[in-house]
Amino acid sequence: MVSQTLLVMSISLFVGLNIFFVAQAKDFNQDIDITWGEGRGNILNNGTLLNLALDQSSGSGFQSKDEYLYGKVNMQIKLVPGNSAGTVTTFYLKSQGLTWDEIDFEFLGNVSGDPYILHTNVYTQGKGDREQQFYLWFDPTAEFHNYSILWNPSHILFYVDGKPIREFKNLEAMSVAYPKSQPMRMYGSLWNADDWATRGGLVKTNWSQGPFIASFMNYNSDNACVWSIDKGTTNTTPCSPGGSSTSSSSSTNEWFSQRGMDSSSQKVLRWVQRKFMVYNYCKDKKRFSQGLPVECTAKNKNKKS
């Protein structure tokens, strides 16, 4: 059973070391609303554990109570074990409307013994098509692992257990749209996508293995800037270095002002992409026969408009 107050976690570094640290357990009741699934989503253990279930009738999902305009959010997830083919577990940020922004973690299930594929994508103004996919270097169904999104005015970073796996830079100076003005909520879901999720839809969901369950814990939005409407005026810039935020000024400065990665982080990013990336839209010349997207050909640029 998950401790109500303290959780001990292990991060396995790519150099083969283990670092143990203690974190305060979060209460999902304070931060999350279960929004669909007709009872298939449940908050348990005094708010420290959230389970989503999927059966042949429906999946389930939740969303954050707050909206954010920039932030760093983290979630620990344990994925559906065994034969998870056809299922998709998600953790993502998304705004509303027809020209929405979105930053995605999607975990594509597979048959027993085959690895999950971690599918990432970035949408700006309703346009995506920026997929990068990875295998993970651990079994994501055996225990909880930490998945993080950092979104600030300069770049978006995807992290797995503290390791950067993907960076999407703000290249507005090169006419590449970047999410910067639409507040986003955090969402999580478990649903059936056997028309495309596993081997392009060739492997279907085996409902005799259900109900399928994915587990979430320790959602952390302490370093996210809560968007609000103050005295009838929409506050679209709620967070700035040293400014007001749900986090402390020093913590806000650290992630909000970050414009790139240090050499150590870049080394980890290259290691992950070299060893575990299985698809990169920026390498798909057949798909983009008229020329790769602009951001794919930009080298060593990280401009902020």
PDB file of all heavy atoms in Angstrom, residues 240-274:
ATOM      1  N   SER A 240       6.312  34.893 -14.095  1.00  0.00           N
ATOM      2  CA  SER A 240       7.527  35.462 -14.664  1.00  0.00           C
ATOM      3  C   SER A 240       8.612  35.365 -13.623  1.00  0.00           C
ATOM      4  O   SER A 240       8.330  35.209 -12.433  1.00  0.00           O
ATOM      5  CB  SER A 240       7.306  36.919 -15.067  1.00  0.00           C
ATOM      6  OG  SER A 240       6.962  37.695 -13.933  1.00  0.00           O
ATOM      7  N   PRO A 241       9.864  35.427 -14.029  1.00  0.00           N
ATOM      8  CA  PRO A 241      10.937  35.311 -13.048  1.00  0.00           C
ATOM      9  C   PRO A 241      10.778  36.331 -11.929  1.00  0.00           C
ATOM     10  O   PRO A 241      10.701  37.532 -12.166  1.00  0.00           O
ATOM     11  CB  PRO A 241      12.201  35.584 -13.885  1.00  0.00           C
ATOM     12  CG  PRO A 241      11.819  35.174 -15.263  1.00  0.00           C
ATOM     13  CD  PRO A 241      10.379  35.555 -15.398  1.00  0.00           C
ATOM     14  N   GLY A 242      10.687  35.833 -10.718  1.00  0.00           N
ATOM     15  CA  GLY A 242      10.521  36.705  -9.568  1.00  0.00           C
ATOM     16  C   GLY A 242       9.108  37.200  -9.377  1.00  0.00           C
ATOM     17  O   GLY A 242       8.833  37.927  -8.430  1.00  0.00           O
ATOM     18  N   GLY A 243       8.205  36.822 -10.280  1.00  0.00           N
ATOM     19  CA  GLY A 243       6.841  37.299 -10.191  1.00  0.00           C
ATOM     20  C   GLY A 243       5.971  36.360  -9.392  1.00  0.00           C
ATOM     21  O   GLY A 243       6.424  35.428  -8.752  1.00  0.00           O
ATOM     22  N   SER A 244       4.644  36.613  -9.429  1.00  0.00           N
ATOM     23  CA  SER A 244       3.713  35.799  -8.665  1.00  0.00           C
ATOM     24  C   SER A 244       3.557  34.443  -9.316  1.00  0.00           C
ATOM     25  O   SER A 244       3.550  34.312 -10.532  1.00  0.00           O
ATOM     26  CB  SER A 244       2.357  36.497  -8.586  1.00  0.00           C
ATOM     27  OG  SER A 244       1.828  36.664  -9.874  1.00  0.00           O
ATOM     28  N   SER A 245       3.421  33.422  -8.498  1.00  0.00           N
ATOM     29  CA  SER A 245       3.316  32.057  -8.997  1.00  0.00           C
ATOM     30  C   SER A 245       2.897  31.179  -7.848  1.00  0.00           C
ATOM     31  O   SER A 245       2.950  31.568  -6.688  1.00  0.00           O
ATOM     32  CB  SER A 245       4.664  31.589  -9.553  1.00  0.00           C
ATOM     33  OG  SER A 245       4.702  30.202  -9.682  1.00  0.00           O
ATOM     34  N   THR A 246       2.447  29.964  -8.163  1.00  0.00           N
ATOM     35  CA  THR A 246       2.160  29.014  -7.105  1.00  0.00           C
ATOM     36  C   THR A 246       3.436  28.494  -6.471  1.00  0.00           C
ATOM     37  O   THR A 246       3.405  27.855  -5.436  1.00  0.00           O
ATOM     38  CB  THR A 246       1.366  27.816  -7.662  1.00  0.00           C
ATOM     39  OG1 THR A 246       2.101  27.249  -8.751  1.00  0.00           O
ATOM     40  CG2 THR A 246       0.000  28.263  -8.155  1.00  0.00           C
ATOM     41  N   SER A 247       4.566  28.699  -7.121  1.00  0.00           N
ATOM     42  CA  SER A 247       5.841  28.225  -6.599  1.00  0.00           C
ATOM     43  C   SER A 247       6.641  29.384  -6.051  1.00  0.00           C
ATOM     44  O   SER A 247       6.297  30.543  -6.227  1.00  0.00           O
ATOM     45  CB  SER A 247       6.632  27.527  -7.706  1.00  0.00           C
ATOM     46  OG  SER A 247       6.845  28.409  -8.786  1.00  0.00           O
ATOM     47  N   SER A 248       7.728  29.079  -5.367  1.00  0.00           N
ATOM     48  CA  SER A 248       8.581  30.117  -4.830  1.00  0.00           C
ATOM     49  C   SER A 248       9.309  30.833  -5.952  1.00  0.00           C
ATOM     50  O   SER A 248       9.471  30.318  -7.041  1.00  0.00           O
ATOM     51  CB  SER A 248       9.611  29.505  -3.869  1.00  0.00           C
ATOM     52  OG  SER A 248      10.503  28.693  -4.589  1.00  0.00           O
ATOM     53  N   SER A 249       9.773  32.059  -5.689  1.00  0.00           N
ATOM     54  CA  SER A 249      10.430  32.843  -6.729  1.00  0.00           C
ATOM     55  C   SER A 249      11.679  32.159  -7.251  1.00  0.00           C
ATOM     56  O   SER A 249      11.922  32.116  -8.452  1.00  0.00           O
ATOM     57  CB  SER A 249      10.790  34.229  -6.183  1.00  0.00           C
ATOM     58  OG  SER A 249       9.626  34.968  -5.906  1.00  0.00           O
ATOM     59  N   SER A 250      12.483  31.599  -6.354  1.00  0.00           N
ATOM     60  CA  SER A 250      13.719  30.958  -6.790  1.00  0.00           C
ATOM     61  C   SER A 250      13.430  29.745  -7.653  1.00  0.00           C
ATOM     62  O   SER A 250      14.084  29.514  -8.676  1.00  0.00           O
ATOM     63  CB  SER A 250      14.575  30.557  -5.585  1.00  0.00           C
ATOM     64  OG  SER A 250      13.873  29.645  -4.760  1.00  0.00           O
ATOM     65  N   SER A 251      12.412  28.955  -7.256  1.00  0.00           N
ATOM     66  CA  SER A 251      12.056  27.778  -8.040  1.00  0.00           C
ATOM     67  C   SER A 251      11.481  28.190  -9.390  1.00  0.00           C
ATOM     68  O   SER A 251      11.763  27.590 -10.421  1.00  0.00           O
ATOM     69  CB  SER A 251      11.064  26.916  -7.263  1.00  0.00           C
ATOM     70  OG  SER A 251      10.708  25.782  -7.992  1.00  0.00           O
ATOM     71  N   THR A 252      10.658  29.237  -9.381  1.00  0.00           N
ATOM     72  CA  THR A 252      10.080  29.733 -10.622  1.00  0.00           C
ATOM     73  C   THR A 252      11.168  30.211 -11.564  1.00  0.00           C
ATOM     74  O   THR A 252      11.165  29.906 -12.754  1.00  0.00           O
ATOM     75  CB  THR A 252       9.103  30.882 -10.335  1.00  0.00           C
ATOM     76  OG1 THR A 252       8.069  30.417  -9.487  1.00  0.00           O
ATOM     77  CG2 THR A 252       8.492  31.415 -11.629  1.00  0.00           C
ATOM     78  N   ASN A 253      12.123  30.972 -11.031  1.00  0.00           N
ATOM     79  CA  ASN A 253      13.221  31.461 -11.856  1.00  0.00           C
ATOM     80  C   ASN A 253      13.954  30.321 -12.548  1.00  0.00           C
ATOM     81  O   ASN A 253      14.325  30.421 -13.719  1.00  0.00           O
ATOM     82  CB  ASN A 253      14.221  32.244 -10.997  1.00  0.00           C
ATOM     83  CG  ASN A 253      13.798  33.688 -10.807  1.00  0.00           C
ATOM     84  OD1 ASN A 253      13.235  34.297 -11.702  1.00  0.00           O
ATOM     85  ND2 ASN A 253      14.068  34.228  -9.643  1.00  0.00           N
ATOM     86  N   GLU A 254      14.155  29.224 -11.828  1.00  0.00           N
ATOM     87  CA  GLU A 254      14.978  28.121 -12.340  1.00  0.00           C
ATOM     88  C   GLU A 254      14.396  27.512 -13.597  1.00  0.00           C
ATOM     89  O   GLU A 254      15.098  27.329 -14.591  1.00  0.00           O
ATOM     90  CB  GLU A 254      15.149  27.058 -11.256  1.00  0.00           C
ATOM     91  CG  GLU A 254      16.019  25.896 -11.690  1.00  0.00           C
ATOM     92  CD  GLU A 254      16.199  24.877 -10.585  1.00  0.00           C
ATOM     93  OE1 GLU A 254      15.813  25.157  -9.434  1.00  0.00           O
ATOM     94  OE2 GLU A 254      16.717  23.790 -10.889  1.00  0.00           O
ATOM     95  N   TRP A 255      13.107  27.194 -13.592  1.00  0.00           N
ATOM     96  CA  TRP A 255      12.535  26.524 -14.756  1.00  0.00           C
ATOM     97  C   TRP A 255      11.994  27.515 -15.782  1.00  0.00           C
ATOM     98  O   TRP A 255      12.040  27.273 -16.979  1.00  0.00           O
ATOM     99  CB  TRP A 255      11.461  25.518 -14.357  1.00  0.00           C
ATOM    100  CG  TRP A 255      10.207  26.124 -13.794  1.00  0.00           C
ATOM    101  CD1 TRP A 255       9.873  26.264 -12.478  1.00  0.00           C
ATOM    102  CD2 TRP A 255       9.108  26.673 -14.532  1.00  0.00           C
ATOM    103  NE1 TRP A 255       8.651  26.873 -12.353  1.00  0.00           N
ATOM    104  CE2 TRP A 255       8.158  27.129 -13.603  1.00  0.00           C
ATOM    105  CE3 TRP A 255       8.843  26.820 -15.894  1.00  0.00           C
ATOM    106  CZ2 TRP A 255       6.957  27.728 -13.974  1.00  0.00           C
ATOM    107  CZ3 TRP A 255       7.647  27.424 -16.277  1.00  0.00           C
ATOM    108  CH2 TRP A 255       6.717  27.865 -15.317  1.00  0.00           C
ATOM    109  N   PHE A 256      11.476  28.666 -15.311  1.00  0.00           N
ATOM    110  CA  PHE A 256      10.872  29.612 -16.235  1.00  0.00           C
ATOM    111  C   PHE A 256      11.923  30.287 -17.111  1.00  0.00           C
ATOM    112  O   PHE A 256      11.704  30.536 -18.298  1.00  0.00           O
ATOM    113  CB  PHE A 256      10.092  30.673 -15.445  1.00  0.00           C
ATOM    114  CG  PHE A 256       9.261  31.587 -16.305  1.00  0.00           C
ATOM    115  CD1 PHE A 256       7.937  31.292 -16.584  1.00  0.00           C
ATOM    116  CD2 PHE A 256       9.793  32.748 -16.845  1.00  0.00           C
ATOM    117  CE1 PHE A 256       7.165  32.130 -17.379  1.00  0.00           C
ATOM    118  CE2 PHE A 256       9.040  33.594 -17.637  1.00  0.00           C
ATOM    119  CZ  PHE A 256       7.719  33.283 -17.909  1.00  0.00           C
ATOM    120  N   SER A 257      13.091  30.562 -16.541  1.00  0.00           N
ATOM    121  CA  SER A 257      14.137  31.276 -17.273  1.00  0.00           C
ATOM    122  C   SER A 257      15.039  30.355 -18.086  1.00  0.00           C
ATOM    123  O   SER A 257      15.885  30.829 -18.834  1.00  0.00           O
ATOM    124  CB  SER A 257      15.000  32.080 -16.287  1.00  0.00           C
ATOM    125  OG  SER A 257      14.217  32.989 -15.566  1.00  0.00           O
ATOM    126  N   GLN A 258      14.861  29.042 -17.934  1.00  0.00           N
ATOM    127  CA  GLN A 258      15.725  28.090 -18.628  1.00  0.00           C
ATOM    128  C   GLN A 258      15.556  28.229 -20.134  1.00  0.00           C
ATOM    129  O   GLN A 258      14.461  28.131 -20.671  1.00  0.00           O
ATOM    130  CB  GLN A 258      15.378  26.675 -18.183  1.00  0.00           C
ATOM    131  CG  GLN A 258      16.183  25.581 -18.858  1.00  0.00           C
ATOM    132  CD  GLN A 258      15.771  24.205 -18.366  1.00  0.00           C
ATOM    133  OE1 GLN A 258      15.571  23.991 -17.180  1.00  0.00           O
ATOM    134  NE2 GLN A 258      15.639  23.267 -19.298  1.00  0.00           N
ATOM    135  N   ARG A 259      16.657  28.469 -20.835  1.00  0.00           N
ATOM    136  CA  ARG A 259      16.609  28.668 -22.285  1.00  0.00           C
ATOM    137  C   ARG A 259      17.154  27.483 -23.069  1.00  0.00           C
ATOM    138  O   ARG A 259      16.959  27.384 -24.282  1.00  0.00           O
ATOM    139  CB  ARG A 259      17.389  29.936 -22.657  1.00  0.00           C
ATOM    140  CG  ARG A 259      16.777  31.211 -22.103  1.00  0.00           C
ATOM    141  CD  ARG A 259      17.616  32.420 -22.493  1.00  0.00           C
ATOM    142  NE  ARG A 259      17.679  32.599 -23.939  1.00  0.00           N
ATOM    143  CZ  ARG A 259      16.780  33.286 -24.647  1.00  0.00           C
ATOM    144  NH1 ARG A 259      15.743  33.830 -24.046  1.00  0.00           N
ATOM    145  NH2 ARG A 259      16.925  33.421 -25.961  1.00  0.00           N
ATOM    146  N   GLY A 260      17.857  26.610 -22.419  1.00  0.00           N
ATOM    147  CA  GLY A 260      18.413  25.447 -23.088  1.00  0.00           C
ATOM    148  C   GLY A 260      18.836  24.432 -22.057  1.00  0.00           C
ATOM    149  O   GLY A 260      18.499  24.537 -20.878  1.00  0.00           O
ATOM    150  N   MET A 261      19.583  23.444 -22.483  1.00  0.00           N
ATOM    151  CA  MET A 261      20.057  22.398 -21.588  1.00  0.00           C
ATOM    152  C   MET A 261      21.556  22.524 -21.393  1.00  0.00           C
ATOM    153  O   MET A 261      22.288  22.896 -22.317  1.00  0.00           O
ATOM    154  CB  MET A 261      19.719  21.016 -22.160  1.00  0.00           C
ATOM    155  CG  MET A 261      18.238  20.716 -22.206  1.00  0.00           C
ATOM    156  SD  MET A 261      17.932  19.039 -22.825  1.00  0.00           S
ATOM    157  CE  MET A 261      18.396  19.241 -24.550  1.00  0.00           C
ATOM    158  N   ASP A 262      22.017  22.181 -20.194  1.00  0.00           N
ATOM    159  CA  ASP A 262      23.454  22.170 -19.962  1.00  0.00           C
ATOM    160  C   ASP A 262      24.070  20.958 -20.659  1.00  0.00           C
ATOM    161  O   ASP A 262      23.368  20.093 -21.208  1.00  0.00           O
ATOM    162  CB  ASP A 262      23.778  22.191 -18.469  1.00  0.00           C
ATOM    163  CG  ASP A 262      23.203  21.008 -17.705  1.00  0.00           C
ATOM    164  OD1 ASP A 262      22.960  19.943 -18.326  1.00  0.00           O
ATOM    165  OD2 ASP A 262      22.999  21.124 -16.482  1.00  0.00           O
ATOM    166  N   SER A 263      25.384  20.874 -20.658  1.00  0.00           N
ATOM    167  CA  SER A 263      26.074  19.818 -21.410  1.00  0.00           C
ATOM    168  C   SER A 263      25.719  18.431 -20.896  1.00  0.00           C
ATOM    169  O   SER A 263      25.608  17.475 -21.676  1.00  0.00           O
ATOM    170  CB  SER A 263      27.587  20.032 -21.350  1.00  0.00           C
ATOM    171  OG  SER A 263      28.053  20.030 -20.012  1.00  0.00           O
ATOM    172  N   SER A 264      25.530  18.298 -19.586  1.00  0.00           N
ATOM    173  CA  SER A 264      25.172  16.997 -19.026  1.00  0.00           C
ATOM    174  C   SER A 264      23.803  16.542 -19.515  1.00  0.00           C
ATOM    175  O   SER A 264      23.614  15.379 -19.908  1.00  0.00           O
ATOM    176  CB  SER A 264      25.200  17.064 -17.495  1.00  0.00           C
ATOM    177  OG  SER A 264      24.782  15.842 -16.925  1.00  0.00           O
ATOM    178  N   SER A 265      22.829  17.457 -19.505  1.00  0.00           N
ATOM    179  CA  SER A 265      21.487  17.117 -19.988  1.00  0.00           C
ATOM    180  C   SER A 265      21.496  16.803 -21.471  1.00  0.00           C
ATOM    181  O   SER A 265      20.805  15.889 -21.935  1.00  0.00           O
ATOM    182  CB  SER A 265      20.527  18.273 -19.693  1.00  0.00           C
ATOM    183  OG  SER A 265      20.380  18.476 -18.302  1.00  0.00           O
ATOM    184  N   GLN A 266      22.279  17.550 -22.243  1.00  0.00           N
ATOM    185  CA  GLN A 266      22.382  17.282 -23.670  1.00  0.00           C
ATOM    186  C   GLN A 266      22.961  15.884 -23.928  1.00  0.00           C
ATOM    187  O   GLN A 266      22.528  15.186 -24.848  1.00  0.00           O
ATOM    188  CB  GLN A 266      23.253  18.348 -24.335  1.00  0.00           C
ATOM    189  CG  GLN A 266      22.605  19.723 -24.377  1.00  0.00           C
ATOM    190  CD  GLN A 266      23.547  20.791 -24.888  1.00  0.00           C
ATOM    191  OE1 GLN A 266      24.656  20.497 -25.326  1.00  0.00           O
ATOM    192  NE2 GLN A 266      23.116  22.046 -24.825  1.00  0.00           N
ATOM    193  N   LYS A 267      23.915  15.490 -23.099  1.00  0.00           N
ATOM    194  CA  LYS A 267      24.513  14.157 -23.241  1.00  0.00           C
ATOM    195  C   LYS A 267      23.477  13.067 -22.991  1.00  0.00           C
ATOM    196  O   LYS A 267      23.400  12.073 -23.733  1.00  0.00           O
ATOM    197  CB  LYS A 267      25.683  14.017 -22.268  1.00  0.00           C
ATOM    198  CG  LYS A 267      26.409  12.686 -22.366  1.00  0.00           C
ATOM    199  CD  LYS A 267      27.589  12.633 -21.393  1.00  0.00           C
ATOM    200  CE  LYS A 267      28.312  11.293 -21.477  1.00  0.00           C
ATOM    201  NZ  LYS A 267      29.440  11.231 -20.506  1.00  0.00           N
ATOM    202  N   VAL A 268      22.653  13.257 -21.956  1.00  0.00           N
ATOM    203  CA  VAL A 268      21.603  12.282 -21.659  1.00  0.00           C
ATOM    204  C   VAL A 268      20.589  12.239 -22.790  1.00  0.00           C
ATOM    205  O   VAL A 268      20.154  11.163 -23.223  1.00  0.00           O
ATOM    206  CB  VAL A 268      20.914  12.603 -20.315  1.00  0.00           C
ATOM    207  CG1 VAL A 268      19.759  11.637 -20.072  1.00  0.00           C
ATOM    208  CG2 VAL A 268      21.907  12.535 -19.168  1.00  0.00           C
ATOM    209  N   LEU A 269      20.187  13.406 -23.280  1.00  0.00           N
ATOM    210  CA  LEU A 269      19.231  13.471 -24.385  1.00  0.00           C
ATOM    211  C   LEU A 269      19.746  12.704 -25.601  1.00  0.00           C
ATOM    212  O   LEU A 269      19.011  11.910 -26.214  1.00  0.00           O
ATOM    213  CB  LEU A 269      18.967  14.928 -24.755  1.00  0.00           C
ATOM    214  CG  LEU A 269      17.991  15.163 -25.908  1.00  0.00           C
ATOM    215  CD1 LEU A 269      16.564  14.858 -25.491  1.00  0.00           C
ATOM    216  CD2 LEU A 269      18.099  16.594 -26.423  1.00  0.00           C
ATOM    217  N   ARG A 270      21.003  12.908 -25.942  1.00  0.00           N
ATOM    218  CA  ARG A 270      21.584  12.201 -27.098  1.00  0.00           C
ATOM    219  C   ARG A 270      21.612  10.702 -26.861  1.00  0.00           C
ATOM    220  O   ARG A 270      21.349   9.911 -27.771  1.00  0.00           O
ATOM    221  CB  ARG A 270      22.993  12.728 -27.382  1.00  0.00           C
ATOM    222  CG  ARG A 270      23.018  14.153 -27.948  1.00  0.00           C
ATOM    223  CD  ARG A 270      24.389  14.493 -28.507  1.00  0.00           C
ATOM    224  NE  ARG A 270      25.427  14.476 -27.478  1.00  0.00           N
ATOM    225  CZ  ARG A 270      25.795  15.543 -26.781  1.00  0.00           C
ATOM    226  NH1 ARG A 270      25.195  16.712 -26.972  1.00  0.00           N
ATOM    227  NH2 ARG A 270      26.763  15.453 -25.878  1.00  0.00           N
ATOM    228  N   TRP A 271      21.926  10.298 -25.611  1.00  0.00           N
ATOM    229  CA  TRP A 271      21.964   8.871 -25.282  1.00  0.00           C
ATOM    230  C   TRP A 271      20.590   8.240 -25.454  1.00  0.00           C
ATOM    231  O   TRP A 271      20.452   7.186 -26.088  1.00  0.00           O
ATOM    232  CB  TRP A 271      22.461   8.696 -23.849  1.00  0.00           C
ATOM    233  CG  TRP A 271      22.377   7.290 -23.338  1.00  0.00           C
ATOM    234  CD1 TRP A 271      23.219   6.257 -23.606  1.00  0.00           C
ATOM    235  CD2 TRP A 271      21.359   6.756 -22.463  1.00  0.00           C
ATOM    236  NE1 TRP A 271      22.815   5.118 -22.947  1.00  0.00           N
ATOM    237  CE2 TRP A 271      21.682   5.399 -22.242  1.00  0.00           C
ATOM    238  CE3 TRP A 271      20.251   7.295 -21.838  1.00  0.00           C
ATOM    239  CZ2 TRP A 271      20.903   4.580 -21.430  1.00  0.00           C
ATOM    240  CZ3 TRP A 271      19.468   6.490 -21.033  1.00  0.00           C
ATOM    241  CH2 TRP A 271      19.803   5.138 -20.840  1.00  0.00           C
ATOM    242  N   VAL A 272      19.558   8.884 -24.920  1.00  0.00           N
ATOM    243  CA  VAL A 272      18.204   8.349 -25.035  1.00  0.00           C
ATOM    244  C   VAL A 272      17.787   8.262 -26.502  1.00  0.00           C
ATOM    245  O   VAL A 272      17.273   7.233 -26.962  1.00  0.00           O
ATOM    246  CB  VAL A 272      17.204   9.218 -24.235  1.00  0.00           C
ATOM    247  CG1 VAL A 272      15.768   8.789 -24.529  1.00  0.00           C
ATOM    248  CG2 VAL A 272      17.470   9.118 -22.735  1.00  0.00           C
ATOM    249  N   GLN A 273      18.024   9.323 -27.254  1.00  0.00           N
ATOM    250  CA  GLN A 273      17.564   9.335 -28.644  1.00  0.00           C
ATOM    251  C   GLN A 273      18.346   8.344 -29.513  1.00  0.00           C
ATOM    252  O   GLN A 273      17.792   7.748 -30.437  1.00  0.00           O
ATOM    253  CB  GLN A 273      17.642  10.759 -29.189  1.00  0.00           C
ATOM    254  CG  GLN A 273      16.676  11.705 -28.472  1.00  0.00           C
ATOM    255  CD  GLN A 273      16.469  13.016 -29.181  1.00  0.00           C
ATOM    256  OE1 GLN A 273      17.207  13.369 -30.094  1.00  0.00           O
ATOM    257  NE2 GLN A 273      15.459  13.762 -28.775  1.00  0.00           N
ATOM    258  N   ARG A 274      19.604   8.161 -29.199  1.00  0.00           N
ATOM    259  CA  ARG A 274      20.410   7.208 -29.958  1.00  0.00           C
ATOM    260  C   ARG A 274      20.010   5.767 -29.660  1.00  0.00           C
ATOM    261  O   ARG A 274      19.931   4.923 -30.562  1.00  0.00           O
ATOM    262  CB  ARG A 274      21.893   7.411 -29.640  1.00  0.00           C
ATOM    263  CG  ARG A 274      22.831   6.526 -30.469  1.00  0.00           C
ATOM    264  CD  ARG A 274      24.290   6.839 -30.182  1.00  0.00           C
ATOM    265  NE  ARG A 274      24.701   6.453 -28.833  1.00  0.00           N
ATOM    266  CZ  ARG A 274      24.933   7.294 -27.832  1.00  0.00           C
ATOM    267  NH1 ARG A 274      24.812   8.603 -28.020  1.00  0.00           N
ATOM    268  NH2 ARG A 274      25.302   6.864 -26.645  1.00  0.00           N
TER     269      ARG A 274
END
